[in-house]
């Protein structure tokens, strides 16, 4: 399984002083789908690898000036969650075993089977991916829940860069996009970024507005009246679902900036900005919205992309949403599992950010159906990967079920203590976090 894009947890820092072996090992890893960065000595590798290194390390043990075990110990001090695989000759096995006990991920003895290296690197990369995901989750829980547009995809970066300019540009906007993509969030961010930010932002759901409330909307005064939005922003959500009657009443407001109230002698001039939203089908929009209203609103159009077009943003978005849900529900943030991570990367998210937010909330609540899988639908993992995920989740459940009592968890699992700790290390399970009630 490769849930992380190349350049993240599938990166390998390869440290080997033998040039021929370094080249051949790099080729093996590259063919297996890893992005390899090679180093001829330990010191340059140590300089290049920090606590945020988004990958794993494969290092020879015997090297001049600084050994592989010394490199491992220095890296372990920076980041205990960074998997380091040591490659050693027969004479250094005892040294490698000591490093394994001290926290090294694995070791291979020369000459090693290339497939054994790939298998060890795959396991280490999966664990590193989970560690990085959980780090993002913890950071999101401690971060600002009122952050703006989350993501680094080109479309989101471009929208984020436009917000300050659009905030101060006193023109109407039309934001198109599928349901749940975050159109209202973008509208609110634009409102907050401009001179109207101190005035009201009034949201009107055009597709679900009863006639009684519609009359209040066009009243000459009142909290529900458009008149209360003077010098602020009127947000017309789903304008393409508005009735013809509502559109007819909105048209003079948009075209002339006047509020025509029933029974009023004169129309009321209003200084306000209008931001409207609608779907993405051009033909649908022109048929559902009257021309006078549509072309006035659509002078400047923005598009919120669906999640399936910006999959690279899903992990960061999920971390942000899960952190916000944990804060709101006053619950500890669970640890990411391989199953959840796979669902995040493989699901199409037809409900977009709204669906992802609901999934994040279920994840925080620890509901058993947090990952909905179709009956009989294969997960896409190989059998060893599925067994590893099951084994890891079983150990986590046992520790949580015994409230962090390791002895009781070992007894419940029915395995020797030594085997328990070996599997905890193998699957990258953070016992300290589990004892605090995380996952």
């Amino acid at each position: 399984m490769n849930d992380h894009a190349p350049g993240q947890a599938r990166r390998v820092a390869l440290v080997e002083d033998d040039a021929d072996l370094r080249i051949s090992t790099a080729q093996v890893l590259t063919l297996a789908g890893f992005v390899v960065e090679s180093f001829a000595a330990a010191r340059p590798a140590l300089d290049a690898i920090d606590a945020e290194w988004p990958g794993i390390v494969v290092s020879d043990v015997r090297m001049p000036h600084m050994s592989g075990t010394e490199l491992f110990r220095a890296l372990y001090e920076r980041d205990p969650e960074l998997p380091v695989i040591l490659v050693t000759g027969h004479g250094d096995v005892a040294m490698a075993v000591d490093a394994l006990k001290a926290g090294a991920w694995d070791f291979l003895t020369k000459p090693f089977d290339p497939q054994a290296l790939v298998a060890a690197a795959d396991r280490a990369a999966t664990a590193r991916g989970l560690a990085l995901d959980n780090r993002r989750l913890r950071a999101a829980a401690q971060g600002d829940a009122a952050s703006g547009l989350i993501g680094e995809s080109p479309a989101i970066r471009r929208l984020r860069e436009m917000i300050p300019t659009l905030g101060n540009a006193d023109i109407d906007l039309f934001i198109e996009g599928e349901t749940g993509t975050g159109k209202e969030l973008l509208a609110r961010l634009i409102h907050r970024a401009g001179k109207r930010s101190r005035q009201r932002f009034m949201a009107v759901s055009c597709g679900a507005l009863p006639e009684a409330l519609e009359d209040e909307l066009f009243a000459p005064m009142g909290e529900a009246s458009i008149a209360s939005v003077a010098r602020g922003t009127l947000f017309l959500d789903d304008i393409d679902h508005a009735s013809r009657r509502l559109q007819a009443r909105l048209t003079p407001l948009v075209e002339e900036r006047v509020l025509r109230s029933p029974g009023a002698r004169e129309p009321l001039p209003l200084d306000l900005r209008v931001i409207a939203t609608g779907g993405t089908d051009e033909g649908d929009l022109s048929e559902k919205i009257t021309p006078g209203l549509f072309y006035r609103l659509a002078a400047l159009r923005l598009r919120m992309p669906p999640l399936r077009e910006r999959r690279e943003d899903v992990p960061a978005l999920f971390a942000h949403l899960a952190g916000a849900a944990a804060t709101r529900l006053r619950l500890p943030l669970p640890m990411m599992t391989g199953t959840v991570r796979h669902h995040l990367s493989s699901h199409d998210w037809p409900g977009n950010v709204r669906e992802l937010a609901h999934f994040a909330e279920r994840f925080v609540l620890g509901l058993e159906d947090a990952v909905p899988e179709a009956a009989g639908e294969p997960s896409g993992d190989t059998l060893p990967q599925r067994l590893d995920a099951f084994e890891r989740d079983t150990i986590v459940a046992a520790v949580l079920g015994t409230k962090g009592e390791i002895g009781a968890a070992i007894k419940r699992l029915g395995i020797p203590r030594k085997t328990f700790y070996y599997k905890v290390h193998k699957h990258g399970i953070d016992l300290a976090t589990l004892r605090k009630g995380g996952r």
Side-chain angles (χ1 to χ4, degrees):
M1 179 177 66
N2 180 8
D3 289 340
H4 283 266
Q8 295 184 10
R10 299 288 294 183
R11 285 177 68 180
V12 177
L14 174 62
V15 190
E16 172 61 68
D17 62 327
D18 184 308
D20 291 337
L21 185 55
R22 185 169 66 249
I23 292 170
S24 61
T25 303
Q27 288 176 339
V28 168
L29 291 168
T30 300
L31 289 172
F34 289 93
V35 177
V36 182
E37 188 170 341
S38 298
F39 300 90
R43 181 60 63 181
L46 183 61
D47 293 339
I49 301 169
D50 59 16
E52 300 305 317
W53 171 257
I56 66 172
V57 178
V58 176
S59 175
D60 189 19
V61 169
R62 281 197 176 273
M63 293 183 292
H65 308 301
M66 185 180 195
S67 70
T69 52
E70 290 173 322
L71 172 63
F72 152 68
R73 293 181 192 281
L75 292 173
Y76 188 83
E77 286 185 7
R78 291 180 185 176
D79 183 2
E81 295 180 310
L82 175 63
V84 177
I85 300 172
L86 297 172
V87 181
T88 178
H90 288 286
D92 297 319
V93 170
M95 187 188 305
V97 170
D98 287 341
L100 195 65
K101 291 177 181 177
W105 177 262
D106 204 348
F107 75 92
L108 300 171
T109 305
K110 295 178 182 178
F112 56 82
D113 179 356
Q115 291 307 311
L117 170 63
V118 170
D122 272 330
R123 290 192 297 271
T126 299
R128 183 59 170 170
L130 287 171
L132 294 174
D133 285 342
N134 283 309
R135 193 172 293 177
R136 281 190 289 267
L137 284 172
R138 291 192 293 270
Q142 298 167 358
D144 178 12
S147 299
L149 293 179
I150 306 296
E152 293 302 323
S153 59
I156 293 301
R157 281 205 312 269
R158 188 162 54 250
L159 285 171
R160 200 162 48 226
E161 290 166 0
M162 293 170 66
I163 287 173
T165 302
L166 292 174
N168 288 307
D170 213 8
I171 54 176
D172 294 340
L173 301 173
F174 188 86
I175 305 174
E176 53 190 276
E178 296 177 9
T179 182
T181 50
K183 300 186 290 293
E184 182 173 346
L185 170 63
L186 177 59
R188 288 184 180 274
L189 291 172
I190 292 171
H191 169 75
R192 291 173 195 162
K195 62 183 181 182
R196 297 184 183 272
S197 60
R198 296 187 180 183
Q199 307 302 325
R200 190 177 179 192
F201 179 97
M202 182 179 183
V204 178
S205 180
C206 297
L209 190 67
E211 283 194 13
L213 289 181
E214 185 180 315
D215 290 338
E216 287 188 37
L217 189 66
F218 288 91
M221 61 182 65
E223 188 69 15
S225 169
I226 294 173
S228 68
V229 198
R231 296 185 300 281
T233 300
L234 177 64
F235 177 67
L236 301 174
D237 195 22
D238 293 330
I239 189 68
D240 49 336
H241 292 162
S243 67
R244 290 290 175 173
R245 179 175 184 264
L246 176 57
Q247 291 187 40
R249 299 179 77 174
L250 285 170
T251 300
L253 175 75
V254 174
E255 289 183 338
E256 306 167 34
R257 287 302 189 270
V258 294
L259 179 63
R260 299 185 186 279
S261 302
R265 292 184 188 177
E266 299 289 338
L268 176 66
L270 277 182
D271 172 18
L272 54 75
R273 181 185 207 175
V274 180
I275 301 179
T277 73
T280 57
D281 189 307
E282 186 74 30
D284 236 18
L285 291 174
S286 60
E287 287 180 8
K288 291 183 176 181
I289 307 175
T290 56
L293 181 60
F294 178 66
Y295 291 111
R296 178 64 179 84
L297 289 172
L300 180 56
R301 298 169 69 171
L302 305 175
R303 179 177 180 270
M304 284 295 294
L307 277 188
R308 65 180 176 275
E309 292 182 10
R310 54 181 188 116
R311 287 185 175 276
E312 63 267 45
D313 291 340
V314 171
L317 259 174
F318 177 74
H320 170 77
L321 294 168
T327 300
R328 185 177 67 257
L329 298 169
R330 298 183 181 180
L331 290 173
L333 193 66
M335 287 185 69
M336 181 78 74
T337 65
T339 307
V340 170
R341 183 163 161 256
H342 177 72
H343 183 65
L344 289 173
S345 67
S346 61
H347 188 55
D348 278 341
W349 304 107
N352 295 297
V353 179
R354 188 174 299 146
E355 181 186 358
L356 184 63
H358 291 159
F359 176 70
E361 191 169 85
R362 294 199 304 274
F363 168 76
V364 170
L365 289 169
L367 299 181
E368 292 181 1
D369 64 345
V371 181
E373 288 196 35
E377 181 182 343
S379 68
D381 295 349
T382 63
L383 180 59
Q385 288 169 335
R386 294 166 72 180
L387 289 174
D388 280 348
F390 174 78
E391 191 172 70
R392 184 189 189 282
D393 290 347
T394 302
I395 293 171
V396 168
V399 176
L400 288 174
T402 57
K403 302 186 184 303
E405 292 292 334
I406 301 302
I410 292 173
K411 185 175 180 180
R412 178 177 292 189
L413 291 166
I415 58 177
R417 179 175 292 268
K418 186 176 180 180
T419 302
F420 172 81
Y421 280 105
Y422 167 75
K423 291 183 181 298
V424 164
H425 172 77
K426 173 185 175 184
H427 297 304
I429 298 172
D430 187 345
L431 291 178
T433 300
L434 289 178
R435 289 192 186 102
K436 295 176 183 177
R439 287 195 67 183

